[in-house]
Amino acid sequence: MEDGLVRSISSGLSQKGVRDHNERLLLSLIQRHGALPGSDLARIANLSPPTVSAILRRLESDGLLERGDPVRGKVGKPSIPMRLAPDGVYSYGLKIGRRSAELVLIDFCGDTRHQRQLNYDIPLPDTIFDFVGAAVSEISGALSPEAVARICGFGVAAPFGLWNWPNTSDESDAAFQSWKDVDLRVRTADISGLPVTLMNDATAACQAEHMFGRGKEFRDYAYFFIGAFIGGGVVLNNSVFEGPQGNAGALGSLRTVGPNGESMQLVDMASIHQLELRLREVDLDPRQLWTDPDSWTSLSRYVDPWLGQTAQELAKAALSTCSVIDFEAILIDGAFPPAIREELVGRVRRYMATQDTRGLIPPRIEAGSIGAKARSVGAASQPVGTQFML
């Protein structure tokens, strides 16, 4: 046996299985660290240089890697860093949210090549699947046959138990019940003809941040995503942890106390839904929060108190989360403009300074970087990760 992972052949893996594992390892390292020459990859992966060279040639021939610009050192030949080929792989990602559905097609580097969005008051299955069918047909028609052949799968990000979303009318509650008999995987596969993966929407957002955003800076962290309802994700040892049922990091269910001392969940106190309710009380249309980013500034009279409440709740939730695992950081993102995100993070930091932290190591509070499309991008990244990464 050569070295490293190849030794696992003796444990019963086939030669091809080990080769695939080593390919995934190198692709994962390049995705995580950026372009790297073969010598660096061999050292980090604990594989021999000839093994790495052979794998890199194979991945380049398959169109998954491409050569970067030569890097000249003080002595010897220049090294050639290898990087992911953007056109090597594509993947669809669908986010089903409380106020909108979003479909994206991303490339191997996580960049969005195509994006379609549908806004609604209530997400009804037939409405969303009609949208998906039309969008997939339109996007596929704009691609070359070669590009279509490189679409590896279709990821779907949605809240688990869509029919349990809280609502304010019997009519909308009845509409949500229609999701009970819908198999998202089957319906999406029928439309796209692709293998389908399903993720919790907040976990998908965490996945996007981890693969393509600031998650690369931290080994262990908790992630909060604030949409119509707040959710979260957990990253341990540089991997998004989904749990045995895919529901790990359900941070929106953390307990908190309501304005009258009643027991409530974080989702009831720190979601954009709360801001929507404030706007409805003064006869303002809350849909502008989703369709007009500038409205967050023009509505500052209502946004500011919502920010204060949300920041206070997030500070308490961050410490509660860190009482279980001593995360080095808490990342916060959401479906709002970057300026609102930065203001929210700043307020959470200030509230953290006033909290009782006995027995805890306060984490860093940092802003996420993906923004509103984190859930759809994260959904699209799942087929890529499943088929090409470790």
Side-chain angles (χ1 to χ4, degrees):
M1 299 305 153
E2 287 180 328
D3 53 9
L5 295 168
V6 180
R7 294 194 189 99
S8 61
I9 292 176
S10 60
S11 301
L13 289 177
S14 67
Q15 284 280 1
K16 186 176 187 305
V18 174
R19 190 207 75 184
D20 288 346
H21 189 284
N22 288 345
E23 287 181 351
R24 288 167 178 258
L25 174 60
L26 298 190
L27 289 171
S28 297
L29 289 172
I30 293 171
Q31 196 284 323
R32 189 78 180 159
H33 299 286
L36 291 170
S39 57
D40 287 351
L41 286 167
R43 174 178 51 81
I44 298 171
N46 192 29
L47 295 171
S48 69
T51 296
V52 169
S53 294
I55 294 173
L56 293 180
R57 285 195 300 269
R58 192 159 56 240
L59 293 173
E60 183 182 13
S61 176
D62 290 342
L64 298 177
L65 293 180
E66 63 183 20
R67 301 184 180 212
D69 296 329
V71 178
R72 296 189 178 277
K74 294 181 180 179
V75 295
K77 296 181 179 180
S79 61
I80 307 294
M82 300 299 291
R83 62 195 181 198
L84 299 182
D87 295 328
V89 178
Y90 300 99
S91 178
Y92 281 112
L94 171 68
K95 178 268 295 187
I96 302 175
R98 180 65 179 82
R99 297 300 183 211
S100 66
E102 182 177 63
L103 181 75
V104 299
L105 182 75
I106 67 168
D107 63 24
F108 206 14
C109 296
D111 293 326
T112 300
R113 295 297 187 92
H114 293 273
Q115 180 175 348
R116 302 290 187 274
Q117 183 166 315
L118 173 70
N119 296 315
Y120 41 65
D121 292 325
I122 301 172
L124 299 175
D126 288 343
T127 301
I128 287 176
F129 290 120
D130 286 346
F131 157 72
V132 172
V136 167
S137 177
E138 182 181 348
I139 293 172
S140 298
L143 300 174
S144 68
E146 293 77 14
V148 171
R150 287 186 176 270
I151 300 176
C152 70
F154 199 121
V156 179
F160 289 165
L162 279 165
W163 51 90
N164 288 326
W165 266 341
N167 284 282
T168 56
S169 71
D170 293 338
E171 180 183 359
S172 58
D173 283 342
F176 278 116
Q177 292 304 307
S178 63
W179 284 101
K180 266 194 170 183
D181 299 321
V182 173
D183 189 321
L184 280 170
R185 282 194 180 93
V186 171
R187 290 289 298 270
T188 307
D190 287 344
I191 291 171
S192 66
L194 294 165
V196 176
T197 60
L198 181 62
M199 297 183 74
N200 174 270
D201 58 336
T203 303
C206 183
Q207 178 77 7
E209 191 67 51
H210 189 63
M211 286 190 69
F212 308 119
R214 295 197 61 198
K216 295 180 180 182
E217 301 175 29
F218 309 102
R219 171 177 165 150
D220 305 293
Y221 62 91
Y223 171 89
F224 288 89
F225 187 89
I226 305 167
F229 300 115
I230 191 171
V234 169
V235 172
L236 298 173
N237 194 26
N238 289 319
S239 296
V240 176
F241 180 71
E242 295 187 59
Q245 301 180 75
N247 202 39
L251 304 181
S253 298
L254 286 169
R255 307 307 303 183
T256 187
V257 178
N260 299 315
E262 68 273 32
S263 176
M264 302 186 78
Q265 292 188 351
L266 181 64
V267 68
D268 301 314
M269 298 293 291
S271 299
I272 295 177
H273 181 62
Q274 294 300 311
L275 179 55
E276 290 182 316
L277 294 177
R278 292 173 187 258
L279 296 180
R280 287 195 184 96
E281 288 174 355
V282 293
D283 295 325
L284 291 173
D285 186 356
R287 286 177 294 186
Q288 61 190 301
L289 295 171
W290 310 101
T291 60
D292 179 14
D294 292 335
S295 67
W296 287 82
T297 300
S298 62
L299 296 171
S300 60
R301 177 181 177 183
Y302 308 100
V303 172
D304 192 71
W306 174 82
L307 278 171
Q309 175 179 306
T310 302
Q312 189 169 17
E313 292 293 333
L314 283 174
K316 293 186 293 185
L319 290 179
S320 294
T321 302
C322 289
S323 69
V324 180
I325 298 174
D326 59 338
F327 293 109
E328 59 182 308
I330 302 291
L331 269 61
I332 299 172
D333 204 353
F336 34 54
I340 297 295
R341 178 178 60 206
E342 296 301 325
E343 176 64 20
L344 178 61
V345 168
R347 292 190 185 208
V348 173
R349 288 172 178 159
R350 293 194 291 274
Y351 274 118
M352 283 283 287
T354 68
Q355 299 296 306
D356 184 352
T357 59
R358 288 175 296 174
L360 299 174
I361 301 174
R364 292 172 55 180
I365 304 297
E366 300 291 342
S369 60
I370 306 298
K373 65 179 181 179
R375 291 163 292 182
S376 56
V377 170
S381 73
Q382 188 71 349
V384 176
T386 299
Q387 297 180 42
F388 296 95
M389 308 290 177
L390 289 182

